[in-house]
Amino acid sequence: MTGRHTVEHSRHTVEGTDPGLFVEVHEPAADAGLRPVLLIHGFSSSSKLNWVDSGWVATLQDAGRRVITVDLPGHGRSHSPEDLDSYTPSRIRADLLQIVTDVGARPLRDGDPTTGLDIIGYSLGSRLAWEFGATQPDLVHRIVLGGPSSADPLATFDLAAAQRHLADGTPISDESTAGLLKMAQMLPSNNLFALLSLIEAIKGEPFDPAEAAPHMPLLLVAGEKDERAATMPELASIAGKHGGMVESLVIPGRTHTNVVTSRAFKEAALEFLGV
């Protein structure tokens, strides 16, 4: 059901935000008495692919955590709006804030571990989590960033070349653009128009981690074979200058694509968030 707040088998849409976003609340069998965890997936993925199929939701539930998952616009079971504004990072962050508020997340209060919100973001989700934490310091308790980067790879995406390729098969010379488009085309459920709209919207709001940095504790995680791992010290330095406590973990043998499935990643995140 869309367009109004409803709960049915732990699935609902949210009043006051984009009614076409697909949200799920995953309840633990035994509640640990800690704040909920919001999971934000990556570009051309979905909550199911990033978080359910890789075991994250089950792992967090087994640890007694209440989990909130959201499919970003144009991804998974969310709709694909025609207006560009729906894809801007600032609009997405506003929608996420409304979602977690409606689910029951409350501002942090000293001595009450049920208040606040923990966030785990992956790839594009890490960029959104970084900015969400920076703008919501009274709500966010701790953040885990998987596959983070100090520069958004979508910002250099050659949108015109991708559109020409889709229209008439013109080869794409930029390797990064070609790779991202190929990734987007691999999932039949992906709406390519929506994903290109997301890229265009992101280009309009470039990521500048130093402009607004989170103050709360951060855990940065990347695979050893992920080239983005090279920028983690820069992110750690930026957060540290803003007063944040930062921990970093590089997982041997893992790439940007498969680090999300790592047991070591899950264990480190559980330990980091379980305070």
Side-chain angles (χ1 to χ4, degrees), residues 13-216:
T13 56
V14 181
E15 264 180 352
T17 188
D18 185 340
L21 292 179
F22 185 83
V23 181
E24 288 188 292
V25 181
H26 310 263
E27 302 287 353
D31 198 313
L34 296 173
R35 56 195 58 82
V37 182
L38 171 66
L39 305 181
I40 311 176
H41 67 75
F43 174 74
S44 186
S45 187
S46 67
S47 292
K48 183 178 185 298
L49 287 173
N50 250 174
W51 307 120
V52 177
D53 293 351
S54 62
W56 275 93
V57 169
T59 297
L60 289 163
Q61 285 180 300
D62 289 346
R65 304 302 295 267
R66 189 181 194 216
V67 182
I68 306 163
T69 57
V70 185
D71 284 345
L72 298 177
H75 293 73
R77 288 164 285 184
S78 286
H79 73 157
S80 300
E82 294 185 1
D83 65 297
L84 190 64
D85 287 347
S86 293
Y87 299 94
T88 61
S90 55
R91 170 63 184 273
I92 293 172
R93 294 195 308 271
D95 286 337
L96 293 176
L97 177 60
Q98 187 66 54
I99 287 167
V100 298
T101 299
D102 287 354
V103 168
R106 297 168 291 153
L108 289 160
R109 189 167 66 240
D110 288 344
D112 186 349
T114 67
T115 61
L117 178 74
D118 287 328
I119 303 178
I120 304 175
Y122 185 68
S123 197
L124 171 60
S126 288
R127 177 238 166 108
L128 295 170
W130 176 280
E131 294 174 324
F132 190 96
T135 55
Q136 301 299 326
D138 295 332
L139 178 64
V140 180
H141 172 250
R142 290 189 167 211
I143 303 176
V144 177
L145 304 179
S149 175
S150 60
D152 192 336
L154 295 179
T156 60
F157 186 92
D158 190 338
L159 193 60
Q163 291 168 333
R164 287 194 299 269
H165 178 77
L166 292 173
D168 58 20
T170 301
I172 299 173
S173 59
D174 179 65
E175 186 176 334
S176 175
T177 298
L180 286 168
L181 184 62
K182 182 179 180 181
M183 181 173 65
Q185 291 175 302
M186 287 176 64
L187 296 176
S189 61
N190 279 345
N191 182 314
L192 289 179
F193 167 81
L195 297 187
L196 292 181
S197 295
L198 174 65
I199 292 171
E200 184 178 355
I202 284 175
K203 283 176 170 289
E205 292 186 3
F207 180 45
D208 183 355
E211 182 179 355
H215 299 178
M216 62 287 302

